[in-house]
Amino acid sequence: LARQATMVTHNTDEAVRGAQAVTAAIFLNRTGHSKNEIREYIESHFGYDLSRTPEQIRPDYTFSATCDGSVPQAICCWLYSDNYEQAIRNAVSLGGDADTQAAIAGSIAIATPGWTIPQAWYDRAYAKVSEIFRQIMDNFAERYDVCKNFTINTNGIKKNKRNINEIIPHYLRNEMGYDIYVPNVFCT
């Protein structure tokens, strides 16, 4: 599935390998594998060197729009963090393609059991989203009872949603009958 989704916009072997590595990290993380097991799997199956800490990467790092220049670095930002916020801060601190690295590190981090997005971050981002998109997000969260451990205001009623990690893997069936994996990006 990672290959098919990636080929639409990033039609290179390098991009597919990067997407598969990130997908594997998220899946293994959600299924209870340790950081060391995930590191070993990614290194052996995708050829990435994940031994460097963000502190070791940072001095020589420059912008790179390539997967090889951002995926392993983003994974390292998660590997060498203790919570969601630290993973994001590690990724942004590298500079370069910081938004991509933070998205990758954050997607893996939120799959870590017990890690959550800081409520203040969620509240600030939610406040910036247009009303129509808030309705879409709220309807999705309500319909599938997923996505956040956050208190949300839906039609004036505050509710706490289940953490997505409690129900992963979670699949939806689209109109054409294909199983569609609901990645974390829909929930953050």
Side-chain angles (χ1 to χ4, degrees), residues 76-92:
C76 287
C77 288
W78 165 73
L79 284 169
Y80 296 97
S81 61
D82 296 319
N83 57 58
Y84 180 88
E85 182 175 347
Q86 186 179 15
I88 297 295
R89 290 185 183 278
N90 282 345
V92 171

Side-chain angles (χ1 to χ4, degrees), residues 36-104:
N36 283 333
E37 290 171 320
I38 295 168
R39 176 195 337 267
E40 289 171 8
Y41 182 87
I42 301 238
E43 287 180 333
S44 67
H45 285 80
F46 302 102
Y48 290 139
D49 175 9
L50 303 179
S51 65
R52 297 190 317 152
T53 67
E55 291 74 22
Q56 292 169 321
I57 296 168
R58 199 174 294 117
D60 300 327
Y61 189 74
T62 58
F63 179 85
S64 175
T66 67
C67 284
D68 288 347
S70 34
V71 170
Q73 294 81 359
I75 295 171
C76 287
C77 288
W78 165 73
L79 284 169
Y80 296 97
S81 61
D82 296 319
N83 57 58
Y84 180 88
E85 182 175 347
Q86 186 179 15
I88 297 295
R89 290 185 183 278
N90 282 345
V92 171
S93 76
L94 296 182
D97 197 3
D99 60 328
T100 298
Q101 291 160 184
I104 294 167

Side-chain angles (χ1 to χ4, degrees), residues 8-188:
V8 174
T9 58
H10 295 73
N11 190 9
T12 68
D13 290 340
E14 177 188 352
V16 169
R17 187 177 77 238
Q20 290 174 329
V22 172
T23 302
I26 293 168
F27 176 78
L28 293 170
N29 201 12
R30 289 195 170 164
T31 54
H33 293 81
S34 71
K35 284 185 174 184
N36 283 333
E37 290 171 320
I38 295 168
R39 176 195 337 267
E40 289 171 8
Y41 182 87
I42 301 238
E43 287 180 333
S44 67
H45 285 80
F46 302 102
Y48 290 139
D49 175 9
L50 303 179
S51 65
R52 297 190 317 152
T53 67
E55 291 74 22
Q56 292 169 321
I57 296 168
R58 199 174 294 117
D60 300 327
Y61 189 74
T62 58
F63 179 85
S64 175
T66 67
C67 284
D68 288 347
S70 34
V71 170
Q73 294 81 359
I75 295 171
C76 287
C77 288
W78 165 73
L79 284 169
Y80 296 97
S81 61
D82 296 319
N83 57 58
Y84 180 88
E85 182 175 347
Q86 186 179 15
I88 297 295
R89 290 185 183 278
N90 282 345
V92 171
S93 76
L94 296 182
D97 197 3
D99 60 328
T100 298
Q101 291 160 184
I104 294 167
S107 293
I108 301 168
I110 201 63
T112 306
W115 290 18
T116 59
I117 299 169
Q119 181 74 44
W121 287 18
Y122 177 84
D123 291 343
R124 187 169 182 191
Y126 189 83
K128 292 179 180 280
V129 175
S130 71
E131 184 58 34
I132 187 71
F133 285 114
R134 283 188 209 165
Q135 289 174 0
I136 291 168
M137 290 166 47
D138 291 346
N139 289 341
F140 182 89
E142 187 68 29
R143 180 172 181 183
Y144 298 105
D145 196 28
V146 297
C147 295
K148 23 193 176 324
N149 255 347
F150 302 102
T151 302
I152 61 169
N153 193 334
T154 305
N155 299 324
I157 302 168
K158 288 193 173 187
K159 294 184 169 186
N160 289 319
K161 305 306 290 179
R162 290 187 307 171
N163 186 309
I164 196 165
N165 288 328
E166 295 172 13
I167 57 168
I168 293 300
H170 180 75
Y171 292 85
L172 299 177
R173 180 143 328 257
N174 75 2
E175 301 81 41
M176 298 177 69
Y178 297 107
D179 286 329
I180 304 294
Y181 176 66
V182 182
N184 177 61
V185 72
F186 290 112
C187 302
T188 56

